Amino acid sequence: MSNARIPSLEMGRLLAILAVVIIHAGPLRGEAYSEGINTLSDVINQICRFAVPFFFVLTGYFVQPKLTENPTRTFMHYAKPLMLIWLAWSLIYLAVPFRLDVVMTEGYLTERTGYWNYLLQAPLNTLFEGGLVHLWYIPGLLSALGILALLINKNQQGLIMPLALGLYVWGLGAGSYQPIMEGEAPIFTRNGPFFSLLMVTAGFEMRRRNIRFSNKAAWTMTTGGMALCLAEGVNLSRYDMWMANHDFLIGTPVMALGLFALLLNHPNLGNTPLTFALSKRVLGVYVAHFVPLILLFNLFGMHAIEGPVKDMLVAPLTILLSLGLVWCLEKTPLTRFLVEMTQGKKALTPAETTK
């Protein structure tokens, strides 16, 4: 099977990055809206949670041939550029102030010190997360790839899925289902391999075993997974757990796998030059989008722009400004590494990262 870029999966990457921005923008939320509209915001948030699991499945799918053939080399092929991106953006977000009003009234160090102290309260978790919350994706992905590479290298492939399922259950028990299962974990269980290993393994096994789902089954998985996530969120609210705080639930892998399978069944969907031009910048937009998002939140706050006007503007402007920022960073070798996985002087495409 070829590692060529599949248009529908590239379009899926675009849908996923849009969902990530919507999660972080938090539309239809706050005192400007009724309780019912705030509930709708929580529903939108939970539906958008397919995004990062989709990225994990996609990576597992494309990395499988080379990870099986040469696990150590393939892992290092990913790890070196991704860790550089993670470290660089962690330092950037440690330096970027979140509250410009506090900077102007109390000074830069006062604004930043509170955040730095917050991160130092849980240094191990910060190591698996980075300088800002969304950067957990990179250590999570590398944790999963590292475990896969180790088990393949030791010829213990039979342990991969049991370990992935075990970590997922542990993550649920110490995460969203902690009030019920009373689990404990050394780090916040969204981070590290607790959830990422299962999703990467799912894509890996779909490729290795050539697993395909019918359109009907894929639609059922997608919609059923979404419905299950929403039902779980409603049920867990009885334990004073806010629906929008659930990064992963039982229905999450079902939802993400269903969407992935559906797009795989329609490979020419979104087959346009624009899809490919935008999708190659998804990683850059992912790591960089909090810069314009923080700026927009501050500007809207200063000018008392709230409610529908704010919500209509935040997500689209964040996407456009992030694309502009990524485009600018691509233009010079000194900053290109911030938004591209590179090997030497050559940027790696999603397909080439497995070669």
Side-chain angles (χ1 to χ4, degrees):
M1 188 180 294
S2 172
N3 271 332
R5 296 170 72 184
I6 299 172
S8 61
L9 297 183
E10 296 302 303
M11 188 182 71
R13 282 159 52 85
L14 297 180
L15 292 174
I17 194 60
L18 175 61
V20 167
V21 172
I22 290 173
I23 290 171
H24 295 151
L28 306 179
R29 187 177 298 160
E31 296 180 357
Y33 297 105
S34 66
E35 183 178 345
I37 297 299
N38 274 274
T39 299
L40 176 60
S41 175
D42 296 342
V43 170
I44 293 171
N45 176 285
Q46 199 53 232
I47 289 174
C48 287
R49 294 289 177 175
F50 77 88
V52 176
F54 180 87
F55 288 141
F56 286 144
V57 175
L58 188 71
T59 299
Y61 185 84
F62 278 109
V63 80
Q64 182 273 322
K66 290 300 180 182
L67 193 62
T68 300
E69 178 185 332
N70 195 326
T72 301
R73 180 183 176 186
T74 302
F75 172 71
M76 294 305 298
H77 198 63
Y78 269 83
K80 290 178 180 178
L82 282 176
M83 283 305 297
L84 184 59
I85 291 171
W86 175 81
L87 178 60
W89 281 101
S90 289
L91 293 174
I92 290 170
Y93 286 118
L94 287 174
V96 171
F98 301 160
R99 294 278 305 274
L100 296 182
D101 57 334
V102 175
V103 172
M104 290 185 288
T105 57
E106 301 181 40
Y108 172 81
L109 283 179
T110 299
E111 196 278 344
R112 287 287 77 200
T113 301
Y115 183 64
W116 296 339
N117 289 337
Y118 166 76
L119 294 180
L120 289 173
Q121 290 175 8
L124 182 60
N125 190 70
T126 299
L127 183 64
F128 279 90
E129 189 168 282
L132 195 57
V133 59
H134 69 302
L135 295 177
W136 74 270
Y137 165 72
I138 292 177
L141 176 61
L142 293 179
S143 295
L145 291 177
I147 291 171
L148 282 170
L150 177 63
L151 292 177
I152 293 169
N153 199 41
K154 299 296 184 181
N155 199 28
Q156 298 294 324
Q157 291 92 325
L159 295 178
I160 294 174
M161 186 57 77
L163 179 60
L165 287 169
L167 283 172
Y168 200 89
V169 172
W170 184 5
L172 288 173
S176 291
Y177 281 84
Q178 200 279 334
I180 300 171
M181 301 173 68
E182 299 182 350
E184 295 183 0
I187 60 174
F188 182 42
T189 57
R190 176 205 56 204
N191 302 333
F194 289 98
F195 297 111
S196 63
L197 182 59
L198 180 62
M199 304 313 304
V200 174
T201 298
F204 180 92
E205 290 295 334
M206 282 186 70
R207 182 72 174 270
R208 185 172 76 92
R209 299 177 183 273
N210 195 25
I211 298 172
R212 302 295 285 265
F213 297 93
S214 67
N215 286 331
K216 182 178 180 180
W219 272 113
T220 301
M221 291 168 64
T222 305
T223 56
M226 287 182 181
L228 180 56
C229 285
L230 294 176
E232 290 177 83
V234 171
N235 182 60
L236 289 168
S237 66
R238 297 187 302 164
Y239 299 90
D240 294 325
M241 300 196 71
W242 184 28
M243 184 186 292
N245 278 345
H246 301 302
D247 293 288
F248 294 87
L249 293 165
I250 296 172
T252 306
V254 181
M255 174 172 59
L257 276 173
L259 179 61
F260 183 85
L262 192 62
L263 292 174
L264 200 58
N265 287 347
H266 301 85
N268 288 318
L269 198 63
N271 191 6
T272 68
L274 182 61
T275 297
F276 291 102
L278 293 175
S279 68
K280 72 178 184 179
R281 295 180 168 90
V282 163
L283 176 60
V285 171
Y286 183 91
V287 295
H289 76 273
F290 259 101
V291 172
L293 187 59
I294 290 169
L295 177 62
L296 288 170
F297 278 149
N298 277 275
L299 288 175
F300 289 157
M302 290 176 184
H303 294 88
I305 300 174
E306 294 290 342
V309 174
K310 173 186 173 183
D311 290 336
M312 285 190 296
L313 293 174
V314 170
L317 285 177
T318 298
I319 290 289
L320 290 174
L321 292 172
S322 298
L323 284 169
L325 176 58
V326 170
W327 183 82
C328 290
L329 293 173
E330 289 173 345
K331 294 304 174 183
T332 167
L334 292 176
T335 57
R336 188 175 301 135
F337 77 95
L338 290 170
V339 292
E340 290 182 354
M341 287 184 62
T342 57
Q343 196 72 14
K345 296 183 179 180
K346 181 185 176 185
L348 302 176
T349 67
E352 288 174 324
T353 54
T354 62
K355 292 184 180 178

